[in-house]
Every structure is written in structure tokens, then in C-alpha cells.
Amino acid sequence: MVRIAFTVLMIIALCSPVFGAGPGTSGSPAAPVSFYPKYGQGPEQQDRDRYECHCWAVRQTGFDPYLPPVSVPVQRAAVVPVPPAGHDTAVLGFTGALMGALAAGPRNAGAGALVGGVTGAVIGAVSDSARQERAREIEEAYNSRQQAQSSQLQRKGYDYSRAMSACLEGRGYGIR
């Protein structure tokens, strides 16, 4: 039952003007193959050959351009670190100033606050920088993975077009 439904759907899809299928074309938005009969094959024979070659090309490549792609369209990922840049610098600078003032005592509270504040701010800046770098690395990894998936899908579409063309040529059609 499923096989019959699939066959009917494939025939409808192959004959659909949405995909550009008509006499002399093998329509697919992902892998168009235009062909013409060399030996006077009629429209019915062309349709049958197109369908059989499509099935063969799908079996050979594992790619069906009429099915929706498994992966989502390529999108750039933006990774934003939380808390935002500058947070640790401010918080640790303030905490360092407070701790420095307390540690220096009432007579040298100003100098202690200055030393503690600068030290805390430097440590906070290092922490902020490390968080920004990690976010950049994660973003780069996501984008690289998306690009690899897109390249693989394009390669499969190309392989399908080559297989479809080879099959049609073997059945006596010229490929444009």
C-alpha cells in the first residue's frame, strides 16, 4: 500500500509543472536535467524513462531532490556570552576595591581600594576575554557544521544529476 502511494506521488511530482517537468525535461529544483529524444521516443516513453532513471539515480546516490532536505537552510549562528562583556571587569573591580579598602584599614583605605580595584578589574577583564573567546569558538563550530551540511547536500544533488544524465543517455537521449 505504501509502495503504491509512493509511486503515485512520484508520478504526480515528476509531471508537476512546479518542478518544470514536461516534454524533454527532468524537473527538480535541486538538480535539473534537460534532455531530448535522439530516436523519436514518444511522450509516454519519455515519461517512463524519466521516472525509471529518477528511481535508479535515487538508488545510486541515496538522494531524492523531490523530498524536502533533512537539514535546515544555512543560517549563521550568533553566540552571545552571558553575562555580557564588561560584567566581570566591573564586578571584580568593585569587589577588589572594597576588599582592598577593608584590608588596608582606615588610614590607607584609599590606596588599598585603588590597588584592590585595579587588581580586580584586571582579573575581571581576563575572565570577560575568555568568555568572549569561548563564545566565538562555539559560533565558529556551529557555522562550520552548517557549511559542511550544505556542501554535502550540494554534492549529493550534483551526484544525482550525473546519475540521471548517465541513465538517460544510456536510454538514447541527448542531455543539454
Side-chain angles (χ1 to χ4, degrees), residues 57-139:
V58 168
R59 282 192 308 273
Q60 294 299 310
T61 63
F63 177 76
D64 188 343
Y66 295 105
L67 296 178
V70 176
S71 67
V72 292
V74 175
Q75 298 174 352
R76 301 266 320 153
V79 178
V80 179
V82 175
H87 174 270
D88 289 355
T89 304
V91 169
L92 291 178
F94 176 77
T95 303
L98 184 62
M99 298 298 286
L102 290 173
R107 289 188 176 199
N108 297 322
L114 179 64
V115 171
V118 169
T119 304
V122 168
I123 293 170
V126 169
S127 174
D128 284 336
S129 177
R131 187 179 309 107
Q132 285 289 102
E133 179 60 24
R134 181 67 183 137
R136 188 193 63 73
E137 289 170 359
I138 292 169
E139 183 176 316

